[in-house]
Amino acid sequence: MAHTRVVIVDDHALVRHGLRLILHGVAGIEVVGECSCGEEALKAAVKERPDVMLMDVHMPQGLDGITTARHLRQIAPEVRVIMLTMFDDRAHVEKMLDAKVAGIVFKHDDSQEIVEAIRRGRAECPYVSRRWTGNIEAKGEVDGRGRDDIRLSPRETEVLVLVARGYTNREIADALHISVKTVETHRQHIARRLGATSRATLIRYAYESGLVDPPVPEG
């Protein structure tokens, strides 16, 4: 198993201590630093060059987690950000996914979920807590149609695959040599066919239908 160096970012010392205890002794994972705010995290990314930052979304002093994640993509794009949050509503999840984070776990998840996200998360195929993805249909984000009844066109399938891999509309347009407006139209059609109301739902469908391989354990 590959060795993964982790920096913990949270404004509460007790939370940082608890996360360190969770990760202590886990094979292949080493905590190499702690930060209490986004500004410290940016400095640690340059100094420590960790593989992963396990970062709280809501940090009231200075940069919040999402803003910090966006800055990290500029100064240290090789660092994977796993968001840790208590907000499990669709709007917050969408904002985190839009920041191209490598994973999202919730503070009420068990310790194994956090370890799994650290090992498996990638920006191209973000790891989202099973507790949240498992409840998507129960929350009414996908309608009751069977998967076998859904038929996407070849172009819609191409767009969905790129969405699931984390591409922006502009990047999809460039890759497929079409306009951004056309991409937006395809996404609207895909969402309507799937009965989906969020990008997270589209990603889940791409995984379940075999269009995109989900993240696999390292090592």
Side-chain angles (χ1 to χ4, degrees):
M1 182 181 297
H3 187 72
T4 302
R5 302 172 72 253
V6 179
V7 168
I8 298 170
V9 186
D10 195 290
D11 58 316
H12 292 99
L14 285 176
V15 173
R16 297 196 303 272
H17 178 69
L19 291 171
R20 183 180 280 274
L21 288 177
I22 288 173
L23 299 178
H24 178 72
V26 175
I29 294 178
E30 177 189 6
V31 177
V32 296
E34 296 182 15
C35 303
S36 62
C37 64
E39 288 83 358
E40 289 181 6
L42 296 178
K43 294 177 182 178
V46 174
K47 179 181 179 181
E48 302 293 342
R49 291 294 175 182
D51 300 297
V52 171
M53 281 197 162
L54 182 59
M55 183 157 51
D56 188 16
V57 170
H58 183 66
M59 293 182 287
Q61 301 298 322
L63 300 177
D64 63 18
I66 292 176
T67 303
T68 303
R70 294 186 189 280
H71 285 314
L72 282 170
R73 286 183 60 80
Q74 301 298 318
I75 67 170
E78 73 282 0
V79 177
R80 291 180 289 135
V81 176
I82 305 296
M83 287 295 193
L84 183 65
T85 179
M86 62 184 293
F87 302 109
D88 61 359
D89 59 281
R90 186 174 68 244
H92 277 91
V93 171
E94 283 290 311
K95 287 181 180 179
M96 288 181 274
L97 289 173
D98 286 343
K100 301 269 185 87
V101 300
I104 302 170
V105 289
F106 303 101
K107 290 189 175 180
H108 50 267
D109 284 334
D110 58 35
S111 58
Q112 186 55 43
E113 191 86 55
I114 296 173
V115 172
E116 193 81 351
I118 290 172
R119 287 178 171 166
R120 293 176 56 182
R122 300 195 303 271
E124 295 81 4
C125 298
Y127 181 96
V128 181
S129 169
R130 288 188 296 267
R131 185 190 299 266
W132 194 84
T133 55
N135 288 334
I136 287 177
E137 292 186 8
K139 292 180 179 180
E141 294 186 40
V142 177
D143 67 18
R145 290 174 293 172
R147 297 299 191 193
D148 293 338
D149 296 331
I150 299 173
R151 294 290 184 270
L152 300 179
S153 71
R155 179 61 88 188
E156 288 169 345
T157 300
E158 289 178 322
V159 171
L160 177 58
V161 167
L162 294 177
V163 169
R165 288 176 176 168
Y167 284 56
T168 65
N169 285 353
R170 167 54 64 187
E171 290 168 338
I172 294 172
D174 291 343
L176 299 181
H177 305 291
I178 57 180
S179 70
V180 173
K181 181 63 176 178
T182 300
V183 174
E184 293 171 349
T185 299
H186 282 311
R187 289 187 65 159
Q188 290 170 3
H189 289 169
I190 295 167
R192 185 162 56 248
R193 287 174 187 241
L194 300 183
T197 58
S198 72
R199 178 169 171 260
T201 311
L202 297 179
I203 291 173
R204 183 182 180 221
Y205 175 80
Y207 288 169
E208 292 183 345
S209 62
L211 294 174
V212 175
D213 292 331
V216 297
E218 298 179 356

